[in-house]
């Protein structure tokens, strides 16, 4: 349930961030499990699902596409269509959900009908051209203006054969193709051109597909072979979101506190969980267990150079941690952050500079120098309507006085109760 938040929220340090919590269910896993359950034969019960705007967008779209489901908080019962989604026409508003746009475009192309997929103003700036190029190779009539939404799709099934998709913009293009591939008329081979970004997300896609009964042959991250098959209903438990966990681990790191996330463990495939390992390199104590991860901050954090290509969304969080290290933190190989909910590299450079930091913005990197002094007057930080900007910048407020987050309600996209949980562990709370 989303809390009513003010237009500006002061995040004041109260001491060490300490405690334990369950974070919301993984957005990435929720928005993979839902469409696959919808394509499956039989009824699936998904538990631990994310309850937030991104998952609500996916649920609403699936219902518009003729899928019968019941959503009861973190539990969703999906009665699968046993093949392509039933509706032969629909106009879908996916708002700012990249997973909904890209996964549903691919899945709908494997069926038959005419569809329009659109979103808000920022979504109309986000790329989808590489996916549409791949779908056209397989027989779909897919159009957009300049490779951006809205997407107009006239689907008549996918032909099978072979297709090439670029890997350098978003791994979601490949994930969408993989999810749709079992519905193709014949075996499908997907080749990846160039370096594939965010590889763990593809591993997650393949794991959820296998859970629903479809195995994929692969040659590393270069080539994937999928034979026609049927997804089979099977109950699915969504683990905690590693991105969400990262804000709490980072806050523990910068305040010298200790946080245990209870619904995420050492078996996770989420690439974002590697942030705990990066924090360990910086001096934190990290304890992994089957169902939990605990991060405890050191007396002094070490700087360093970190390639975050496999978990680019954690770059904002790590950049904030860099304010409190003993030497610069260089975050590299994260150029695709420029085509997210906002240009996250530029936005983070601007906002950390507002706090008085020295920041160097590269084409695909950020370097943050340790903060020389604390702000002595209130500093209002822009969030650009981006949930991850708001949550990452809150980490700065856990340590620094005078941090004010503008438009904190943008966290409703993936973590509506974030500030309640975050301030609660700081010993503050919403006022």
């Amino acid at each position: 349930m989303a809390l009513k938040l003010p237009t500006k929220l002061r995040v004041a340090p109260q001491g060490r961030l300490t405690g334990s919590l369950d974070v919301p269910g993984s957005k990435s896993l929720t928005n993979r499990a839902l469409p696959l359950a919808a394509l499956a034969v039989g009824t699936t019960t998904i538990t631990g699902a994310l309850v937030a705007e991104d998952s609500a967008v996916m649920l609403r779209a699936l219902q518009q596409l003729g899928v019968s489901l019941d959503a009861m908080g973190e539990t969703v019962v999906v009665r699968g269509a046993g093949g392509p989604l039933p509706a032969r026409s629909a106009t879908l508003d996916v708002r700012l959900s990249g997973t909904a746009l890209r996964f549903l475009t691919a899945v709908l192309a494997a069926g038959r009908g005419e569809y329009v997929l659109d979103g808000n103003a920022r979504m109309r700036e986000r790329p989808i051209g590489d996916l549409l190029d791949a779908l056209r190779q397989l027989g779909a009539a897919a159009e957009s203006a300049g490779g951006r939404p809205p997407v107009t799709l006239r689907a008549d099934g996918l032909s099978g054969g072979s297709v090439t998709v670029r890997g350098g913009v978003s791994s979601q293009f490949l994930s969408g193709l993989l999810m749709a591939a079992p519905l193709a008329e014949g075996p499908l081979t997907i080749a990846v051109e160039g370096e594939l970004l965010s590889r763990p997300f593809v591993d997650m896609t393949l794991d959820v597909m296998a859970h629903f009964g479809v195995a994929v042959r692969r040659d590393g991250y270069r080539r994937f072979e999928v034979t026609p098959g049927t997804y089979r209903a099977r109950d699915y438990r969504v683990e905690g979101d590693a991105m969400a966990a990262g804000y709490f681990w980072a806050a523990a790191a910068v305040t010298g506190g200790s946080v245990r996330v209870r619904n995420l463990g050492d078996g996770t495939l989420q690439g974002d969980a590697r942030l705990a390992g990066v924090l360990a390199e910086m001096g934190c104590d990290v304890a992994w267990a089957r169902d939990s991860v605990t991060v405890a901050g050191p007396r002094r954090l070490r700087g360093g150079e970190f390639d975050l290509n496999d978990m680019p969304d954690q770059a904002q969080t790590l950049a904030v941690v860099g304010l409190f290290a003993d030497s610069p933190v260089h975050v590299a190989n994260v150029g695709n952050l420029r085509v997210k909910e906002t240009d996250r590299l530029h936005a983070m450079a601007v906002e950390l500079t507002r706090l008085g930091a020295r920041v160097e913005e590269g084409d695909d990197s950020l370097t943050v120098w340790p903060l020389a002094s604390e702000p002595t007057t209130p500093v209002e930080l822009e969030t650009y309507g981006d949930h991850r900007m708001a949550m990452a910048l809150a980490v700065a407020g856990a340590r620094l006085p005078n941090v004010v987050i503008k438009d904190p309600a943008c966290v409703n996209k993936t973590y509506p109760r974030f500030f309640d949980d975050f301030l609660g562990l700081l010993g503050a709370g919403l006022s």
Side-chain angles (χ1 to χ4, degrees):
M1 175 180 172
L3 299 175
K4 185 173 178 57
L5 291 166
T7 57
K8 299 177 183 178
L9 180 65
R10 183 170 178 261
V11 182
Q14 305 289 320
R16 297 179 177 180
L17 187 137
T18 302
S20 61
L21 78 161
D22 293 331
V23 293
S26 163
K27 178 196 78 171
S28 297
L29 292 173
T30 298
N31 275 7
R32 283 163 171 78
L34 285 170
L36 295 190
L39 297 171
V41 173
T43 298
T44 295
T45 298
I46 299 172
T47 54
L50 174 67
V51 181
E53 182 179 300
D54 263 19
S55 55
V57 164
M58 179 66 82
L59 288 166
R60 185 167 58 249
L62 290 173
Q63 289 177 311
Q64 283 183 255
L65 293 167
V67 177
S68 173
L69 59 85
D70 295 310
M72 301 154 286
E74 295 180 358
T75 299
V76 184
V77 178
V78 183
R79 288 170 281 278
L85 301 179
R88 292 300 184 99
S89 66
T91 297
L92 305 177
D93 179 4
V94 299
R95 297 181 60 81
L96 194 49
S97 175
T99 52
L101 175 72
R102 291 153 179 173
F103 296 168
L104 291 176
T105 296
V107 165
L108 288 171
R112 285 171 172 77
E114 296 187 4
Y115 311 95
V116 176
L117 297 93
D118 201 359
N120 62 16
R122 176 58 182 172
M123 179 58 84
R124 289 188 170 193
E125 298 175 357
R126 298 184 67 184
I128 195 170
D130 288 338
L131 175 59
L132 302 187
D133 288 344
L135 293 174
R136 284 192 287 265
Q137 294 175 51
L138 297 172
E143 301 174 0
S144 68
R148 265 66 175 173
V151 173
T152 301
L153 179 65
R154 292 182 296 280
D156 193 28
L158 299 178
S159 62
S162 61
V163 65
T164 299
V165 62
R166 289 202 305 153
V169 176
S170 173
S171 66
Q172 290 175 4
F173 302 152
L174 173 59
S175 284
L177 288 171
L178 287 166
M179 293 164 70
L183 280 65
E185 296 170 3
L188 178 58
T189 298
I190 305 170
V192 178
E193 177 184 331
E195 182 181 12
L196 178 64
L197 301 180
S198 305
R199 292 179 174 185
F201 288 96
V202 174
D203 295 332
M204 291 162 62
T205 299
L206 296 175
D207 187 67
V208 181
M209 290 174 65
H211 181 90
F212 286 99
V214 173
V216 176
R217 295 180 59 188
R218 62 188 294 184
D219 177 11
Y221 295 95
R222 309 299 307 171
R223 183 183 179 91
F224 301 82
E225 299 177 0
V226 188
T227 56
T230 302
Y231 290 112
R232 302 286 178 182
R234 183 182 171 195
D235 292 350
Y236 187 84
R237 173 73 184 176
V238 179
E239 67 184 7
D241 191 285
M243 265 303 307
Y247 305 115
F248 295 92
W249 295 336
V254 304
T255 64
S258 177
V259 170
R260 181 168 68 100
V261 174
R262 296 182 298 235
N263 58 337
L264 181 69
D266 56 15
T268 184
L269 293 178
Q270 295 181 65
D272 292 312
R274 191 172 71 82
L275 180 66
V278 171
L279 294 174
E281 291 182 53
M282 298 178 75
C284 294
D285 290 327
V286 178
W288 290 86
R290 184 172 64 87
D291 294 317
S292 69
V293 187
T294 303
V295 174
R299 294 184 63 182
R300 184 64 170 165
L301 284 161
R302 296 189 293 268
E305 298 187 4
F306 304 98
D307 185 327
L308 265 58
N309 179 264
D310 61 340
M311 54 170 186
D313 287 340
Q314 294 286 25
Q316 294 157 288
T317 308
L318 189 58
V320 173
V321 173
L323 296 173
F324 311 105
D326 63 3
S327 60
V329 168
H330 179 67
V331 182
N333 207 6
V334 289
N336 71 329
L337 289 183
R338 296 197 182 278
V339 294
K340 297 282 189 171
E341 283 81 341
T342 188
D343 180 342
R344 288 175 172 168
L345 283 178
H346 182 66
M348 187 55 70
V350 169
E351 300 314 310
L352 295 185
T353 301
R354 286 190 209 276
L355 287 172
R358 177 187 171 193
V359 183
E360 182 177 300
E361 177 187 347
D363 290 341
D364 67 349
S365 65
L366 279 181
T367 304
V368 180
W369 277 259
L371 198 62
S373 60
E374 297 181 347
T376 57
T377 58
V379 180
E380 295 187 355
L381 300 177
E382 298 284 352
T383 54
Y384 307 84
D386 184 347
H387 57 136
R388 303 221 179 277
M389 285 295 296
M391 291 185 277
L393 291 170
V395 174
R399 173 76 176 266
L400 298 175
N402 294 309
V403 170
V404 179
I405 306 294
K406 297 174 72 173
D407 186 25
C410 65
V411 300
N412 289 339
K413 187 171 190 289
T414 54
Y415 196 162
R417 295 186 59 86
F418 171 77
F419 283 106
D420 191 53
D421 289 347
F422 192 84
L423 297 177
L425 290 187
L426 274 176
L430 289 169
S431 59

